[in-house]
Amino acid sequence: MEFRHELAQQLRVDSIRSSAAAGSGHPTSSMSAADLMAALLDGHLRLDFAHPDNPENDHLIFSKGHASPLLYACFKAAGAIEDAEMMTFREFGSRMEGHPTPVLPWVDVATGSLGQGLPIGVGLGMTISALDNLDNRVWVLCGDSEMAEGSIWEAFEHAAHYRLDNVTALIDVNRLGQTGETMHGWELSAYSARARAIGWHAIEVDGHDPSAIEEAFNEAESTTGRPTAIVARTLKGKGVSEVEDRTGKHGKPLEDSEAAISELGGYRDLDVKVSAPEGGKRPRRFDSAAAELPSYELGSSVATRKAYGQGLRALGTRRGDVVAMDGEVSNSTHSEQFREGHPERYFEMYIAEQQMLATAVGMQVRGWTPFSSTFAAFLTRAYDFIRMAAVSRADLCLMGSHAGVAIGEDGPSQMALEDLAAMRAVHGSTVLYPCDGNQAAQLLEPMADRSGICYMRTSRGASPVIYGPEEQFPVGGSKTVRDGDHVTLVGAGVTLHEALAAADRLAEEGIRARVVDLYSIKPIDSETLRSAANQTAGLITVEDHWPEGGLGDAVLAALADTGTTAPVRKLAVSVMPGSGKPAELLGQAGIDATAIAEAARGLVR
Amino acid sequence: MEFRHELAQQLRVDSIRSSAAAGSGHPTSSMSAADLMAALLDGHLRLDFAHPDNPENDHLIFSKGHASPLLYACFKAAGAIEDAEMMTFREFGSRMEGHPTPVLPWVDVATGSLGQGLPIGVGLGMTISALDNLDNRVWVLCGDSEMAEGSIWEAFEHAAHYRLDNVTALIDVNRLGQTGETMHGWELSAYSARARAIGWHAIEVDGHDPSAIEEAFNEAESTTGRPTAIVARTLKGKGVSEVEDRTGKHGKPLEDSEAAISELGGYRDLDVKVSAPEGGKRPRRFDSAAAELPSYELGSSVATRKAYGQGLRALGTRRGDVVAMDGEVSNSTHSEQFREGHPERYFEMYIAEQQMLATAVGMQVRGWTPFSSTFAAFLTRAYDFIRMAAVSRADLCLMGSHAGVAIGEDGPSQMALEDLAAMRAVHGSTVLYPCDGNQAAQLLEPMADRSGICYMRTSRGASPVIYGPEEQFPVGGSKTVRDGDHVTLVGAGVTLHEALAAADRLAEEGIRARVVDLYSIKPIDSETLRSAANQTAGLITVEDHWPEGGLGDAVLAALADTGTTAPVRKLAVSVMPGSGKPAELLGQAGIDATAIAEAARGLVR
């Protein structure tokens, strides 16, 4: 225990040192959890730092990502990084970022938006137990402030539901948030009672008592059938009188680092031997086999969401790495098709979109290819998780169904009208929007192969099949489905069909409208748009989306990027819809064939 | 009790009738809760339907908004609407939308995105007790499926923390979600144990036993110091053998409505006399008094977030209707200034952004003017709540601080780089982005006066004061801060200062750059942009934001809308940043003065 105390003091000293060198950071939030981390490193964590890809490695997630000085001090103590690198904390170009990101091989995911590390840890626990069939553990260090995030309770629920005894949450109850005391202060029972009510094993400990911590870790490791929360009473800034248990000491270096280091017993350079896993087991993998994608006859009708479900089932046969999950609407998104075909690779996430995203992030960390689906409108619930997944360099396939006013009677709460804007504005994202069944099915494998966040928007209603089943749809491409040299109509999804109908009407009037199917909204086919701008009087863009940030803005940006100036008229939904028949709502929104034809006449005139 | 049974049967029959007429809807989800609603209407709800603005009215929120047929059947039974209007359910133009919205005067907020009604109900409870100082109650009907949303648990936490004995959650545990059984089925204790662990009073009842329900309602009304959850075991589709407790019967009309109505005892036309409140009390209001806005000297430096806090404190003095809240970062957003000046009108929402938004929505329902603040990056956590607030026709003032790579060392998890896109894509929203302290302070009162969701983006670092304290900044306007006829630089916030620096450099080379401060990104000053496009070689837009959906796209859309074609070069953040000094990160992103000047030279050439 003396070694652990010394190690903890070293972690505190190093947290103070790196933050002092940076001139910013969160040393006091690091100091409270140092004893917990010393115990974890010295005897409980099984992590081969030299082989970060070892599938039997434990996972260590700092859900309280601002305690990054502590994490980096742990990496140094474990010999994974040098002191000199640790001391580049928060410098431009350093891997020691202000909050941890996967630029470091031992960091699975970015944290720093609170309340996300535990949900992702639960996703990892699900992956290890239900997919990989291995024994490694997931350790998540949580702050007490972040326990106020609802996402934390989604994680608690799912961990209990899936009986994840491989997950241990270390809750660092240092009482003090950024601005003052947390809602529950040092009332440890507030956390343990909630955890127990949900089905966790919960242990309250003095987070600075090495023996008590050791006992709690042993208890966590021997608990079966349920996850464990170690609720640790700690002192923020523990060990240094300048900051210990004081308000106003969050998120800044200590004023007198030298004195603080002295008070902690001075600089140390202890090494801790973190055990490597020795199981020699390989994660379970599922077979891949030949399977035909679903195909739909030209001229028949099918909803793109249905093609998604049927296509995903086929993709699941073709590729054993593909897994799927849904936010309790699998009979609407048709992900139930995958569940029926591959029940052992399907996960019901209930109505907990944040946990759904977190689970997907966890699964891709361990090499699986997750497809997550719900109504597109409800993916907004997890927008912070999607944003952070991009910082985590995660590869995710997301499908949002029931887009736009075209859903009809259910009304605006169910209509995604901002999803294209939100998803385009995710770094490195891909945004796809098929208009027919064959297109939707064909786009699934490219999604699975793609890096980053890949989003497919689908529609509720059946739409005519206009492409043959062999047609290919490269990401970043488009299809010119009707030639013409007077004006160009650009649509995708439901509006592509409205554009085709408009082109028919215009043809009767002698106006030759080109129609472009912009199924890949990001990346975008700038070349085709540029040509259309140069060869016709201008472009009409039509989208079942608010006017801001969607297809129309994407077209304008693509033209600007290629230096093309041309008249563009954007049609989009501009009044708050109510209920009604799809055609009534498309008409009211001014994005139906009538509105498109009228706008085209205006441009040609 | 016999009347209540008959009334409940009528509510079921009417739910079946309206859904049958619509050909869609959720009758079975309505039928499970009919006995609860019959009891509420007949003796517990105090609501003057003839005077929906009576401040002493109870609030009734259907958090399970898909049970709209039941809600409209209640309104009919209470005499608020005619049967004929009820039967226009889901028709185009009808107030009987698929999910309830405030087009009906007795509907406070839109629901339909699950897990939002209870948080908003808690916000209403906080408003009534802590601001209005009245006795009315808030009744929230929750589905059991939506209990999986983390936002529900944020609401439970806050209701207990604020000891809201005016809030009653009616949890309709009908066991069946959309696709199958919920996580907890009929295990009522799963819900009651969680509620009790958090500090609620919880009562388990048979949700079809009028006497048990009556007892539970009485107990809820007589419980003080804490909220009550009535956890009711119910049958989905109760009373009709075709659908009762069967899977696959969610969200669709009954197959044989006639038979179902017979089985329920046929059509009824009972009236229920809902009691009106008789207290005659008026809600507390706070005084308004003259107060100077903060002002900053030309040439001095101040962070816009600081000007927000200081300005909001002054606005709070000027206007007694202004209230404020923060997600536990009030010393970063400077909303602590308001807390210090007006402690009785400030609410600490801890790190629960969804509940923060829900509280704000509740407060504006009752006539208050809420300002909510946190890091702009973390507003994404509540994006679904913001989207739904627009459907609720809510008037909200939101402030997001620490925008963009300019925050520096903290790294990408803390950098809002998608907020402009997300907020622009909210229906009816206003998006403001001040570049100096006087501008930030002056924009606050226009925000308070504005309808819809009004968002202000602020910056972490101090920036030079370039406007005098008397300068006015109309929403929808812009400022041409430097004249020039060669090229136009368009920035806002931190990039405005970079643009000015670029203009200085260009001037040395004989290039006369016009600089436009686009502080109002939505609505946007199209006329100034159009003139600039016509009078100069083109526009350079610069934003501390991803390239998609932000300032640059807004400018392109404004030009397109005015029929203006001109070269536009967009500068934005296109690589994932790490940590570093603000200047290093602005440079890496290609949005600093050097990059702007280079782009301008390219356009002029």
Side-chain angles (χ1 to χ4, degrees):
Chain A
M1 294 298 133
E2 181 53 28
F3 174 74
R4 288 199 187 164
H5 173 72
E6 285 297 303
L7 178 58
Q9 294 295 77
Q10 170 172 317
L11 298 176
R12 291 188 174 98
V13 167
D14 283 350
S15 297
I16 292 169
R17 291 172 62 232
S18 64
S19 302
S24 66
H26 298 77
T28 59
S29 305
S30 297
M31 292 157 78
S32 56
D35 296 298
L36 292 167
M37 283 306 109
L40 185 66
L41 295 177
D42 177 38
H44 297 281
L45 185 69
R46 294 184 307 167
L47 176 56
D48 184 353
F49 279 94
H51 299 97
D53 290 334
N54 184 333
E56 290 190 291
N57 275 342
D58 282 359
H59 294 269
L60 170 59
I61 297 180
F62 267 41
S63 195
K64 52 178 291 186
H66 55 289
S68 52
L70 176 62
L71 183 65
Y72 304 149
C74 289
F75 289 168
K76 175 203 146 183
I81 60 170
E82 299 291 327
D83 189 76
E85 181 172 15
M86 187 188 77
M87 294 300 283
T88 64
F89 183 46
R90 291 174 164 246
E91 287 181 12
F92 185 67
S94 167
R95 300 191 298 176
M96 308 287 107
E97 294 192 18
H99 294 75
T101 75
V103 297
L104 285 165
W106 318 283
V107 174
D108 297 313
V109 291
T111 51
S113 180
L114 289 169
Q116 300 206 14
L118 185 65
I120 293 169
V122 169
L124 283 165
M126 290 171 63
T127 311
I128 292 165
S129 75
L131 290 171
D132 293 333
N133 200 19
L134 289 177
D135 307 317
N136 24 342
R137 305 186 67 83
V138 181
W139 305 90
V140 183
L141 178 66
C142 297
D144 49 352
S145 274
E146 70 175 320
M147 303 301 283
E149 288 283 13
S151 57
I152 287 283
W153 299 98
E154 293 182 16
F156 265 80
E157 282 273 21
H158 283 260
H161 183 68
Y162 284 98
R163 303 177 180 282
L164 300 180
D165 50 24
N166 56 3
V167 170
T168 307
L170 310 170
I171 307 175
D172 177 20
V173 185
N174 66 22
R175 188 182 76 83
L176 295 174
Q178 172 173 327
T179 61
E181 192 165 31
T182 64
M183 193 184 273
H184 302 298
W186 271 326
E187 190 193 337
L188 299 191
S189 63
Y191 305 108
S192 55
R194 285 156 177 70
R196 287 181 193 128
I198 293 173
W200 284 50
H201 182 53
I203 310 168
E204 299 178 14
V205 295
D206 174 349
H208 302 309
D209 176 347
S211 304
I213 294 171
E214 175 64 14
E215 205 173 308
F217 275 58
N218 289 333
E219 202 173 308
E221 285 163 339
S222 61
T223 297
T224 57
R226 56 195 167 140
T228 297
I230 297 179
V231 185
R233 183 187 196 279
T234 62
L235 292 161
K236 195 159 177 172
K238 162 74 177 175
V240 174
S241 48
E242 178 199 322
V243 292
E244 185 180 285
D245 194 34
R246 293 184 188 226
T247 54
K249 302 296 181 184
H250 178 95
K252 53 180 84 158
L254 272 60
E255 280 169 28
D256 190 343
S257 301
E258 290 303 315
I261 293 168
S262 289
E263 195 176 345
L264 291 166
Y267 176 79
R268 292 163 185 81
D269 194 14
L270 301 172
D271 289 326
V272 59
K273 171 88 185 116
V274 175
S275 303
E278 294 177 349
K281 293 192 205 155
R282 306 301 308 169
R284 176 167 64 157
R285 291 294 180 245
F286 294 90
D287 291 339
S288 301
E292 292 277 311
L293 282 179
S295 63
Y296 308 97
E297 269 184 55
L298 273 170
S300 69
S301 272
V302 64
T304 47
R305 62 181 167 125
K306 189 168 184 179
Y308 168 83
Q310 295 178 332
L312 190 61
R313 181 177 185 153
L315 187 65
T317 304
R318 286 185 179 191
R319 296 178 51 152
D321 61 311
V322 169
V323 296
M325 65 194 78
D326 198 280
E328 223 280 287
V329 290
S330 60
N331 54 345
S332 289
T333 60
H334 291 277
S335 67
E336 64 181 5
Q337 289 283 332
F338 187 95
R339 184 185 67 218
E340 287 163 15
H342 314 283
E344 68 285 16
R345 281 185 275 153
Y346 176 86
F347 297 85
E348 178 55 70
M349 299 312 299
Y350 300 97
I351 308 183
E353 294 83 5
Q354 297 184 93
Q355 184 58 50
M356 180 170 77
L357 261 288
T359 299
V361 169
M363 289 182 173
Q364 63 83 41
V365 163
R366 294 191 59 87
W368 299 89
T369 303
F371 280 73
S372 308
S373 51
T374 184
F375 282 31
F378 305 143
L379 283 173
T380 58
R381 197 61 152 268
Y383 191 43
D384 194 24
F385 281 73
I386 298 169
R387 173 184 82 86
M388 285 295 295
V391 183
S392 291
R393 282 70 169 172
D395 300 327
L396 300 181
C397 299
L398 307 179
M399 192 284 271
S401 68
H402 292 71
V405 303
I407 68 165
E409 291 79 359
D410 268 326
S413 64
Q414 318 293 302
M415 296 168 175
L417 288 164
E418 57 293 299
D419 58 319
L420 297 176
M423 294 298 180
R424 281 182 68 225
V426 170
H427 179 64
S429 66
T430 299
V431 179
L432 305 172
Y433 185 14
C435 70
D436 93 342
N438 289 322
Q439 193 176 47
Q442 288 289 345
L443 285 169
L444 293 174
E445 193 137 19
M447 283 179 79
D449 287 334
R450 211 157 163 84
S451 297
I453 315 296
C454 196
Y455 172 61
M456 176 184 280
R457 179 190 226 216
T458 69
S459 303
R460 174 176 174 271
S463 54
V465 175
I466 62 168
Y467 296 111
E470 302 307 320
E471 187 102 22
Q472 295 296 301
F473 304 95
V475 172
S478 69
K479 293 284 175 186
T480 300
V481 291
R482 183 79 58 91
D483 234 333
D485 53 0
H486 285 161
V487 63
T488 303
L489 314 179
V490 185
V494 292
T495 62
L496 191 272
H497 302 285
E498 297 296 326
L500 282 168
D504 288 342
R505 294 191 205 170
L506 292 166
E508 288 168 15
E509 301 163 26
I511 298 175
R512 296 188 297 272
R514 183 178 302 189
V515 180
V516 175
D517 175 9
L518 201 67
Y519 64 84
S520 180
I521 293 175
K522 181 185 174 188
I524 195 165
D525 185 355
S526 301
E527 193 45 44
T528 293
L529 294 170
R530 197 184 60 78
S531 300
N534 290 335
Q535 294 163 6
T536 67
L539 277 58
I540 312 286
T541 65
V542 208
E543 59 197 306
D544 194 355
H545 188 275
W546 299 126
E548 297 87 6
L551 181 147
D553 278 7
V555 168
L556 289 169
L559 293 177
D561 286 350
T562 57
T564 311
T565 55
V568 176
R569 175 85 199 284
K570 271 171 60 181
L571 304 182
V573 181
S574 57
V575 297
M576 180 60 73
S579 290
K581 295 192 177 68
E584 290 169 332
L585 294 171
L586 290 169
Q588 180 194 37
I591 56 171
D592 65 355
T594 303
I596 299 168
E598 187 55 35
R601 287 182 205 109
L603 253 192
V604 172
R605 248 181 245 127
Chain B
M1 295 299 134
E2 182 53 28
F3 173 74
R4 288 198 187 165
H5 173 72
E6 283 298 303
L7 178 59
Q9 294 295 77
Q10 170 173 318
L11 298 176
R12 292 187 174 98
V13 167
D14 283 351
S15 297
I16 292 168
R17 290 172 62 230
S18 63
S19 303
S24 66
H26 297 77
T28 59
S29 305
S30 297
M31 292 158 78
S32 57
D35 295 298
L36 291 168
M37 283 306 110
L40 185 66
L41 295 177
D42 177 39
H44 296 281
L45 185 69
R46 293 183 309 167
L47 176 56
D48 184 352
F49 279 94
H51 300 95
D53 289 334
N54 184 332
E56 289 189 293
N57 276 342
D58 281 359
H59 293 270
L60 170 60
I61 298 180
F62 268 39
S63 194
K64 52 177 290 187
H66 55 288
S68 53
L70 175 62
L71 183 64
Y72 304 150
C74 289
F75 289 167
K76 175 202 146 183
I81 61 169
E82 300 290 329
D83 189 77
E85 182 173 16
M86 186 188 77
M87 295 299 285
T88 64
F89 183 47
R90 291 174 164 246
E91 286 180 12
F92 185 69
S94 167
R95 300 191 297 176
M96 307 287 110
E97 294 191 19
H99 294 75
T101 76
V103 298
L104 285 163
W106 317 284
V107 174
D108 295 313
V109 291
T111 51
S113 180
L114 290 169
Q116 299 206 14
L118 185 65
I120 293 170
V122 168
L124 283 164
M126 289 171 65
T127 311
I128 292 165
S129 75
L131 290 171
D132 293 333
N133 200 18
L134 290 176
D135 307 318
N136 22 343
R137 304 188 68 82
V138 181
W139 305 91
V140 183
L141 179 67
C142 297
D144 49 353
S145 274
E146 69 175 321
M147 301 302 282
E149 288 282 13
S151 56
I152 288 283
W153 299 98
E154 293 183 15
F156 265 81
E157 283 272 21
H158 283 261
H161 183 68
Y162 284 99
R163 303 177 179 281
L164 300 180
D165 51 24
N166 56 4
V167 169
T168 307
L170 311 169
I171 307 175
D172 177 20
V173 186
N174 66 23
R175 187 181 73 86
L176 295 174
Q178 173 174 324
T179 62
E181 192 166 31
T182 63
M183 193 185 275
H184 302 298
W186 271 326
E187 191 194 337
L188 299 192
S189 63
Y191 305 108
S192 56
R194 285 157 178 70
R196 287 180 193 130
I198 294 173
W200 284 50
H201 183 52
I203 310 167
E204 299 178 13
V205 295
D206 174 350
H208 301 309
D209 176 347
S211 303
I213 294 171
E214 174 65 14
E215 205 173 307
F217 276 60
N218 289 334
E219 204 173 306
E221 286 163 338
S222 61
T223 298
T224 55
R226 53 193 171 145
T228 298
I230 296 178
V231 185
R233 184 188 195 279
T234 63
L235 292 161
K236 196 160 176 170
K238 162 75 178 172
V240 174
S241 48
E242 178 198 322
V243 292
E244 186 179 282
D245 193 34
R246 292 186 189 226
T247 54
K249 301 296 182 185
H250 179 94
K252 53 179 86 160
L254 274 58
E255 279 169 29
D256 190 342
S257 300
E258 290 303 316
I261 293 168
S262 290
E263 195 177 343
L264 290 167
Y267 176 81
R268 293 164 184 77
D269 194 14
L270 301 171
D271 289 326
V272 57
K273 172 88 185 114
V274 174
S275 302
E278 294 177 349
K281 294 192 204 151
R282 307 300 307 169
R284 176 168 64 156
R285 291 296 180 244
F286 294 89
D287 291 338
S288 301
E292 292 277 312
L293 282 179
S295 63
Y296 307 97
E297 267 184 56
L298 273 170
S300 68
S301 272
V302 65
T304 48
R305 61 182 167 124
K306 189 168 185 181
Y308 168 83
Q310 296 179 330
L312 191 61
R313 180 176 185 154
L315 187 65
T317 305
R318 284 186 181 190
R319 295 179 52 153
D321 61 312
V322 169
V323 296
M325 65 195 78
D326 197 280
E328 224 280 287
V329 289
S330 59
N331 53 346
S332 288
T333 61
H334 290 277
S335 67
E336 63 181 7
Q337 289 283 334
F338 186 95
R339 183 185 67 218
E340 287 162 15
H342 315 283
E344 69 285 16
R345 280 185 275 153
Y346 176 86
F347 297 85
E348 178 54 70
M349 300 311 299
Y350 300 97
I351 308 183
E353 295 82 5
Q354 297 184 90
Q355 183 59 50
M356 179 170 78
L357 261 288
T359 299
V361 170
M363 288 183 174
Q364 61 85 41
V365 163
R366 294 190 58 86
W368 300 89
T369 303
F371 279 72
S372 308
S373 50
T374 184
F375 282 31
F378 305 143
L379 283 173
T380 58
R381 197 62 154 266
Y383 192 42
D384 194 24
F385 281 73
I386 298 169
R387 172 184 83 86
M388 286 296 294
V391 184
S392 290
R393 283 68 169 171
D395 300 327
L396 300 181
C397 299
L398 307 178
M399 192 283 270
S401 67
H402 292 71
V405 302
I407 68 164
E409 290 79 359
D410 268 328
S413 65
Q414 319 292 302
M415 295 169 175
L417 287 164
E418 57 294 297
D419 58 319
L420 297 177
M423 293 298 181
R424 279 182 69 225
V426 170
H427 179 65
S429 66
T430 299
V431 179
L432 305 172
Y433 186 16
C435 71
D436 91 344
N438 289 322
Q439 193 177 47
Q442 288 290 345
L443 284 168
L444 293 174
E445 193 138 18
M447 283 179 79
D449 288 333
R450 211 156 163 87
S451 297
I453 315 295
C454 196
Y455 172 61
M456 176 184 280
R457 179 190 227 217
T458 68
S459 303
R460 173 176 175 272
S463 54
V465 175
I466 62 167
Y467 296 112
E470 302 307 319
E471 187 101 23
Q472 295 295 301
F473 304 94
V475 172
S478 69
K479 293 284 175 187
T480 301
V481 291
R482 183 78 58 93
D483 234 332
D485 54 359
H486 284 162
V487 63
T488 304
L489 314 179
V490 185
V494 292
T495 62
L496 191 272
H497 301 286
E498 297 296 326
L500 282 168
D504 288 343
R505 294 190 203 171
L506 293 166
E508 290 168 15
E509 302 163 26
I511 298 175
R512 295 187 299 272
R514 182 178 301 188
V515 181
V516 175
D517 175 8
L518 201 67
Y519 63 85
S520 180
I521 292 175
K522 181 186 174 187
I524 194 166
D525 185 356
S526 302
E527 192 46 45
T528 293
L529 295 169
R530 195 184 62 77
S531 300
N534 290 336
Q535 295 163 6
T536 67
L539 276 58
I540 312 285
T541 66
V542 208
E543 59 197 307
D544 193 355
H545 188 274
W546 299 127
E548 298 85 8
L551 181 147
D553 278 6
V555 167
L556 288 169
L559 293 177
D561 286 348
T562 56
T564 311
T565 54
V568 177
R569 175 84 201 283
K570 270 171 60 181
L571 303 183
V573 182
S574 57
V575 297
M576 179 61 71
S579 291
K581 294 193 177 67
E584 290 169 335
L585 294 171
L586 289 168
Q588 179 193 39
I591 56 170
D592 64 354
T594 303
I596 298 167
E598 186 55 34
R601 288 181 203 108
L603 253 191
V604 172
R605 251 180 243 129

